[in-house]
Amino acid sequence: MGQRKGNGPAVRQAVEYDLVELVRLRALLFEDLGGDFFSPASADDDWLDALAVVLKEQLTSDAVRILVVDGDGDGDGDGDSDGDRGLAACGIATIEQRLPGPHLRNGRIGHVIGVVTDPSYRRRGHSRSIMRGLLDWFAEREVARVDLYASTEGEPLYRELGFTHHPDPALYWRP
């Protein structure tokens, strides 16, 4: 997938060069979500090294898509670069093969793992453009359903894109 252009910012697939910025944006996502679940007080930063290793492995996986929007370097949106460009936004999605059933004919479920925009680039359509790219990728792979967890700020966008409440109760367990 090359750059997606048209109704919004140019979206491209992430490459290895983007790893440092992907880790930065992922950390920003958890900072923004806050709370003991996403940012436990006992956590240290060693998870960032593990994240970088996994992201590098998954950049070339057929079951993972990482899309990014490049920044302009200074966050003012004028296209010139007064500093290091970095990434303005990223979105990560996976496809999981589960057992088919009457409610999931081919068993393929998509997951939007996270969409995050650097604060200096927000309200410019980056998340919308990334989500459209991810939804196109899911459709090309005949995914039967796409799941995501929405932040309060992101929920209106996801609803506009067609997401609704999930019919299954969500529970989790940590060993």
Side-chain angles (χ1 to χ4, degrees):
M1 173 182 191
Q3 289 193 349
R4 178 190 173 101
K5 297 191 181 208
N7 296 338
V11 175
R12 66 175 175 81
Q13 192 166 341
V15 295
E16 190 170 340
Y17 177 81
D18 297 317
L19 280 174
V20 170
E21 279 292 286
L22 290 169
V23 169
R24 179 185 70 83
L25 288 172
R26 187 89 176 139
L28 179 63
L29 173 70
F30 293 120
E31 287 173 21
D32 286 352
L33 292 172
D36 288 337
F37 181 82
F38 293 107
S39 297
S42 63
D44 53 27
D45 287 344
D46 62 341
W47 70 272
L48 296 169
D49 294 330
L51 173 63
V53 169
V54 172
L55 283 171
K56 184 176 180 180
E57 292 169 356
Q58 292 188 345
L59 279 172
T60 57
S61 170
D62 290 337
V64 177
R65 179 62 44 115
I66 304 173
L67 299 181
V68 299
V69 173
D70 290 310
D72 65 6
D74 54 12
D76 63 9
D78 64 7
D80 68 353
S81 181
D82 299 337
D84 184 21
R85 286 181 54 118
L87 294 177
C90 72
I92 303 171
T94 63
I95 297 175
E96 178 182 355
Q97 180 64 58
R98 293 190 180 175
L99 297 174
H103 64 296
L104 197 63
R105 295 287 182 185
N106 65 10
R108 279 193 288 279
I109 296 179
H111 298 275
V112 177
I113 303 301
V115 177
V116 62
T117 302
D118 184 285
S120 62
Y121 293 98
R122 290 185 178 158
R123 311 299 306 159
R124 299 185 196 179
H126 297 324
S127 292
R128 179 181 314 281
S129 293
I130 286 171
M131 280 301 299
R132 286 184 177 147
L134 294 176
L135 293 175
D136 288 348
W137 179 70
F138 287 132
E140 290 166 5
R141 280 147 185 80
E142 299 178 352
V143 168
R145 185 183 83 219
V146 176
D147 293 341
L148 60 75
Y149 293 101
S151 67
T152 303
E153 295 80 16
E155 186 175 353
L157 168 63
Y158 301 131
R159 289 193 177 282
E160 185 180 314
L161 292 171
F163 286 84
T164 61
H165 280 289
H166 198 292
D168 296 331
L171 303 172
Y172 74 94
W173 176 76
R174 287 189 179 174

